[in-house]
Amino acid sequence: MPPRFAKFQSLIALVLMVVAMTLLSDKFLTPDNGWNILRQISVNLCLSIGMTLIILSGGIDLSVGAILALAGAVAAGVLKNGVAIPMFDALLQFTVFGAIVCGIGVGLILGWFNGFVVTRFNIPPFVATLGMFSIARGMTMLWTGGFPITGLGAGFGYPGTGVLLGVPMPVWISVVLVAAFVIITRKTRFGRYLYAVGGNERAALLTGLRVNHIKTWVYTLGGGLAGVAGLIVTSRLDSAQPNAGLGYELDSIAAVVIGGTSLSGGRGTVLGTVLGCLIIGVLNNGLFLLNVSPFWQQIIKGFVILSAVAIDKMNTNKP
Amino acid sequence: MSAHGEIILEAKGISKTFPGVKALDDVSLTLRCGHLTALLGENGAGKSTLMSIIAGVFPPDSGEVILAGTPGSFSNPREAHEAGIAMIFQELNLVSNLTVAENIFLGREPMNRFGFIDTATMNRHAAALLERLDLAVDPATSLGSLRVGQQQIVEIAKAISTDARVLIMDEPTSAITEHEIEVLFGIIGNLKRRGVAIAYITHKLEELTRIGDDAVVMRDGRIVGAAPLKDLTHSTIVNMMVGRETKKISHRASTAPGSEALRVENISLNHPDRPGDFLLRDINFDVRRGEVLGIFGLMGAGRTELLEVIFGLHPASATGSIHIDGQPATIKSPTDAIELGLALAPEDRKREGLVLGMSVAENASLACLPRLERFGFLNEAAERQLVGAAIDRFRVKTPSQKQMIRNLSGGNQQKVILGKWLATEPAVLLLDEPTRGIDVNAKGEIYTLIEELVTDGLAVIVVSSELPEILTLSDHIIVLCEGRKTAEFDRKNADEESIMNAALPKEASKMIKAK
């Protein structure tokens, strides 16, 4: 299968990069730095799993960074200030768990709305999620008044900063999600349908698949995973930043594409995306250790994206 | 211009093979100045292929095109156009958001001395052309705001704007109204007087008495008759179109038909672009278990649309009732249709029938994954078993279940589609052009498989534009023409001539109109 081949390629690229960085810097291949990279990519990984599902189904989502910010802000806000209900002159207080549920819920709802707009009004996903990008950014500003919400307490900080069995919590979370979605995409009906809808939507429709239903689920999951990412970011910083996640959607699209998933849908894997995230993470980290200027880092990252897609294209165009 | 009747274009010994099909076999054709030569024949006879070769759309495998005594075929439509050969395709090749004038001069825009497009000159030239063609529209209006018939005339303006000496028209009247047809015939008369040679592909024989001079009849990639139109009668033409040596058809012994599986009543479908017009009008038929119903029609008769309506693809614009096993059924989506025991193998396998990026197994099991689920996961052993059974039953030639479906031949892909649907245990199988693009041997296999299914008690509807196919497979036949059912036959009293007669539009004025 071609996706497997593509995965193989990004694996080679990753190994080559690791070898190169090890030769260039003695600070690179250390356990501390390894955990560091994994912790750094965990947020992008959460976003990118959702992005993989969405791109596999033939869509795209530009709103995940904005949803991440709103989910984090809502969780932080309800935890810190509660929710006032003027009608009953009451103030609802939330536990840490309640706040987490709120954050993920916000992500799921906004994601569902993306799917609803795409399927019900037949609006191209690029445009629909661009709209949501603006909506969620605006709502975040409205909710926070433009100021960070800080001082969230140790309990809330655990998912972002805690360590379990020597492994940082963000890594645990992203590894569990990766495992779950590898199984979902490979072993369940929903996963199979995802590839069918992205591969040939018309054929999927004529085979009796509820195409709109499937797509709505995909965007809902993408939003929910952005919510999880928002919680990790907020928890780690002990602060909900109004402009958190700015540009994260582009990093996650880059990770998906480098991981060999086709932007036209129907072809790609979650594991490929994990490799894509690792490649971006190793690149960022290694270039930082080598004291390469951040401006050069961006340029290099751009060329990595372009060459990944170009190599992929050359392979798939061969008969 | 050259004298009337003089030979302007000769195609000599043209052959063309597409993968699996010999589209043209040593065909020669002569076009004369001021004459309209009608090209007649069934769908797939090779008419459009021959015209496309003359117009430089693709090169012939062998043979040559001689224009005004100069041999040489053209490597692209632009070269042919510059040499004076213009072609109007069945589907209009216009850009709807450009203006009329911009469309006419697309790629040949007049420039002013600063290198910019000289819009004023362009509009003036366009207006002159349009006046000659009796089309009263401003050249600066956008093409999209015109009706289809008017767009057709713009296409003609584009074709004659280079002083074409040879004009090829592929079914130009299939999408336009009666009045526009009159205008078009007037234009054709004018062009003929000016000495333009016209090649005209049509299914509407009645049109020809008014505008035609010569007729060329094609069948199976060869020319089977060429004569002045006045020497031909309607029935001799129909005879030539279908008169292949009828192969001895081995038809399964008629079984006693079972109970009624599907009945449709008064199916109509509104035209998506022209309010008040219909793509289908008051279609009725029924099909029983153990029986094949053949639906024959030419291009644009509404065959595919009829199947799509039954399969729930036009819930908003179709009317009429559908009964399955005698019970009234509501079908609003393919999902509904499949739950009620229908299955559709669409005409365009690659675009509509298969997920090309998936394996044979994944395609074959796609319609019945819910049955293969255990504890929320796909049961791979059960899937292998189901797919294996389908591969055996339909004798699919594939190295393994994991083979990518795109690597299979057309015939084997079609068998996988049959297998996919049979796994859903349908009561009625709808097959749209089941052997399109499939080689002769695989065709025979597909026929045998269809007959086996029918013997097992399935009801099958076969839609086809190939007469022999319809006659081989069907117990009953209905014929569609321009959205209406024009005839109904039993296998006993069906023959190629009467079916073709019912499928040919009788006169332009009978085009479907509201009320």
Side-chain angles (χ1 to χ4, degrees):
Chain A
M1 250 164 79
R4 221 172 274 165
F5 190 55
K7 207 161 67 190
F8 194 53
Q9 273 177 352
S10 26
L11 191 61
I12 293 171
L14 180 63
V15 170
L16 287 177
M17 278 173 54
V18 169
V19 170
M21 295 299 177
T22 310
L23 295 175
L24 291 170
S25 164
D26 54 2
K27 282 177 253 158
F28 179 76
L29 202 65
T30 64
D32 274 357
N33 194 42
W35 288 121
N36 197 12
I37 292 175
L38 290 178
R39 200 183 304 117
Q40 279 167 355
I41 68 165
S42 60
V43 169
N44 191 22
L45 204 46
C46 289
L47 292 179
S48 301
I49 293 168
M51 190 66 81
T52 307
L53 305 183
I54 291 166
I55 290 178
L56 274 180
S57 79
I60 191 95
D61 191 345
L62 301 181
S63 65
V64 290
I67 292 178
L68 173 152
L70 183 61
V74 166
V78 298
L79 182 68
K80 183 119 191 268
N81 307 323
V83 176
I85 307 175
M87 214 191 308
F88 302 105
D89 201 17
L91 185 72
L92 266 181
Q93 292 288 356
F94 283 81
T95 61
V96 167
F97 182 72
I100 289 173
V101 169
C102 281
I104 296 174
V106 164
L108 289 169
I109 290 166
L110 298 193
W112 172 83
F113 190 78
N114 274 336
F116 173 75
V117 172
V118 167
T119 55
R120 177 69 179 74
F121 301 106
N122 219 0
I123 295 178
F126 188 93
V127 179
T129 58
L130 189 63
M132 176 54 75
F133 168 85
S134 188
I135 292 169
R137 283 280 165 217
M139 286 167 84
T140 311
M141 285 302 169
L142 215 54
W143 176 261
T144 61
F147 298 103
I149 303 170
T150 50
L152 305 170
F156 191 77
Y158 186 69
T161 55
V163 174
L164 181 66
L165 306 172
V167 178
M169 278 308 289
V171 178
W172 272 117
I173 294 170
S174 50
V175 165
V176 167
L177 287 172
V178 164
F181 279 95
V182 165
I183 292 169
I184 287 171
T185 49
R186 293 170 64 134
K187 301 283 178 193
T188 70
R189 182 150 65 99
F190 175 74
R192 191 68 69 78
Y193 285 173
L194 201 59
Y195 284 92
V197 169
N200 187 343
E201 187 170 331
R202 176 82 179 166
L205 182 76
L206 287 175
T207 307
L209 309 195
R210 298 177 197 273
V211 170
N212 286 346
H213 190 78
I214 295 161
K215 283 185 174 176
T216 307
W217 261 106
V218 167
Y219 285 95
T220 308
L221 285 170
L225 287 160
V228 173
L231 290 169
I232 295 175
V233 170
T234 310
S235 163
R236 191 162 75 201
L237 298 176
D238 190 30
S239 160
Q241 300 286 336
N243 56 3
L246 213 55
Y248 281 22
E249 50 281 335
L250 302 182
D251 263 356
S252 83
I253 293 170
V256 173
V257 167
I258 292 173
T261 295
S262 156
L263 272 180
S264 46
R267 193 169 62 84
T269 58
V270 171
L271 279 179
T273 298
V274 173
L275 287 172
C277 285
L278 279 168
I279 287 175
I280 293 180
V282 167
L283 194 69
N284 283 340
N285 175 275
L287 294 176
F288 175 78
L289 290 180
L290 296 174
N291 283 323
V292 176
S293 125
F295 305 146
W296 274 109
Q297 288 185 26
Q298 291 187 27
I299 294 171
I300 293 169
K301 199 158 78 184
F303 277 108
V304 169
I305 295 170
L306 293 182
S307 37
V309 181
I311 292 170
D312 191 47
K313 266 266 183 283
M314 282 190 292
N315 280 318
T316 47
N317 286 349
K318 265 181 215 153
Chain B
M1 273 287 161
S2 332
H4 274 229
E6 200 173 286
I7 292 174
I8 176 77
L9 183 136
E10 272 186 287
K12 277 189 181 163
I14 306 273
S15 294
K16 179 79 186 173
T17 306
F18 292 117
V21 202
K22 185 132 203 178
L24 290 174
D25 187 5
D26 193 21
V27 170
S28 296
L29 176 77
T30 306
L31 300 179
R32 292 169 189 279
C33 292
H35 278 223
L36 184 145
T37 306
L39 270 98
L40 304 163
E42 285 181 288
N43 297 337
K47 309 177 300 266
S48 294
T49 310
L50 178 59
M51 291 302 111
S52 298
I53 285 173
I54 291 176
V57 178
F58 36 70
D61 295 341
S62 62
E64 60 177 350
V65 177
I66 302 166
L67 179 67
T70 323
S73 46
F74 308 103
S75 53
N76 59 52
R78 197 193 170 95
E79 266 180 34
H81 201 171
E82 276 161 7
I85 300 176
M87 177 156 177
I88 299 168
F89 295 89
Q90 213 169 348
E91 296 88 25
L92 297 176
N93 283 305
L94 298 169
V95 187
S96 61
N97 51 357
L98 296 183
T99 68
V100 172
E102 283 165 347
N103 266 291
I104 293 175
F105 292 102
L106 193 61
R108 301 173 288 114
E109 293 84 355
M111 298 291 177
N112 64 20
R113 61 202 148 107
F114 304 112
F116 294 110
I117 292 176
D118 186 348
T119 312
T121 308
M122 188 168 75
N123 284 347
R124 212 170 47 242
H125 287 176
L129 277 169
L130 295 176
E131 201 190 318
R132 240 168 71 197
L133 298 178
D134 210 7
L135 180 65
V137 301
D138 180 356
T141 50
S142 89
L143 185 95
S145 63
L146 269 53
R147 283 178 292 111
V148 176
Q150 295 176 314
Q151 295 188 8
Q152 188 102 47
I153 293 171
V154 172
E155 182 92 78
I156 294 171
K158 183 177 172 181
I160 64 173
S161 66
T162 48
D163 280 320
R165 292 180 285 179
V166 177
L167 181 59
I168 300 168
M169 302 173 128
D170 194 349
E171 294 204 49
T173 58
S174 58
I176 65 181
T177 67
E178 201 182 331
H179 170 71
E180 287 159 350
I181 290 174
E182 289 304 316
V183 175
L184 179 68
F185 286 2
I187 294 167
I188 288 174
N190 274 331
L191 292 171
K192 280 168 62 177
R193 274 191 292 282
R194 291 178 51 234
V196 176
I198 299 174
Y200 190 96
I201 299 179
T202 188
H203 285 303
K204 299 179 184 171
L205 300 186
E206 281 67 20
E207 290 178 0
L208 295 176
T209 49
R210 297 194 35 207
I211 52 169
D213 300 292
D214 303 311
V216 168
V217 182
M218 296 189 70
R219 191 175 69 221
D220 301 335
R222 295 161 192 264
I223 287 182
V224 290
L229 257 178
K230 60 180 186 320
D231 300 345
L232 298 170
T233 64
H234 189 281
S235 66
T236 49
I237 293 175
V238 170
N239 260 321
M240 283 197 278
M241 280 167 74
V242 298
R244 59 176 66 69
E245 59 281 28
T246 2
K247 279 171 242 141
K248 195 68 194 154
I249 296 160
S250 64
H251 200 285
R252 87 198 110 89
S254 260
T255 42
S259 58
E260 173 188 287
L262 172 76
R263 184 172 81 234
V264 306
E265 285 172 353
N266 301 320
I267 294 266
S268 293
L269 176 65
N270 293 316
H271 195 289
D273 305 322
R274 281 178 279 157
D277 263 12
F278 292 88
L279 286 175
L280 294 171
R281 191 69 165 138
D282 294 331
I283 308 276
N284 293 286
F285 67 80
D286 60 76
V287 57
R288 292 165 177 280
R289 290 174 184 278
E291 187 180 82
V292 178
L293 174 73
I295 301 181
F296 181 79
L298 299 169
M299 200 83 82
R303 303 164 300 186
T304 299
E305 289 79 1
L306 179 56
L307 293 191
E308 286 179 352
V309 167
I310 297 171
F311 210 59
L313 282 162
H314 299 283
S317 46
T319 56
S321 59
I322 297 172
H323 299 258
I324 291 171
D325 283 329
Q327 303 294 317
T330 316
I331 302 179
K332 293 208 173 309
S333 70
T335 318
D336 292 347
I338 291 162
E339 268 166 23
L340 288 162
L342 301 184
L344 168 69
E347 175 176 2
D348 190 334
R349 277 188 301 280
K350 290 186 176 169
R351 270 192 36 235
E352 307 202 303
L354 299 166
V355 185
L356 289 176
M358 286 184 147
S359 67
V360 169
E362 287 165 328
N363 271 286
S365 64
L366 193 59
C368 50
L369 291 185
R371 253 174 47 208
L372 300 175
E373 249 178 342
R374 206 176 46 183
F375 313 124
F377 295 101
L378 291 177
N379 180 348
E380 282 171 22
E383 184 181 14
R384 264 197 305 280
Q385 196 183 357
L386 178 117
V387 175
I391 287 177
D392 289 347
R393 164 104 197 247
F394 291 99
R395 305 185 273 278
V396 181
K397 288 184 203 74
T398 175
S400 86
Q401 295 192 8
K402 289 209 163 76
Q403 177 71 25
M404 295 302 283
I405 191 90
R406 70 170 83 239
N407 297 334
L408 264 54
S409 69
N412 282 305
Q413 289 179 345
Q414 187 69 292
K415 291 184 206 166
V416 172
I417 293 178
L418 287 178
K420 162 173 113 174
W421 286 122
L422 256 287
T424 67
E425 294 167 3
V428 185
L429 194 55
L430 313 174
L431 304 173
D432 195 354
E433 301 281 358
T435 61
R436 168 151 299 174
I438 289 177
D439 67 67
V440 182
N441 285 332
K443 235 178 199 178
E445 281 185 82
I446 300 274
Y447 291 165
T448 313
L449 291 170
I450 292 173
E451 307 214 323
E452 286 172 16
L453 295 174
V454 173
T455 314
D456 291 351
L458 222 71
V460 176
I461 297 178
V462 173
V463 161
S464 179
S465 54
E466 290 183 36
L467 266 175
E469 179 157 300
I470 288 283
L471 285 166
T472 309
L473 291 171
S474 311
D475 296 294
H476 294 284
I477 297 164
I478 66 171
V479 182
L480 298 184
C481 173
E482 296 184 337
R484 289 173 192 270
K485 186 168 93 174
T486 49
E488 197 163 356
F489 299 94
D490 265 349
R491 190 204 316 162
K492 285 186 285 300
N493 55 28
D495 59 80
E496 300 202 350
E497 282 79 8
S498 35
I499 294 176
M500 185 55 93
N501 250 323
L504 288 168
K506 285 302 161 284
E507 7 175 334
S509 63
K510 289 248 176 73
M511 294 195 56
I512 315 170
K513 284 271 163 58
K515 283 156 240 158

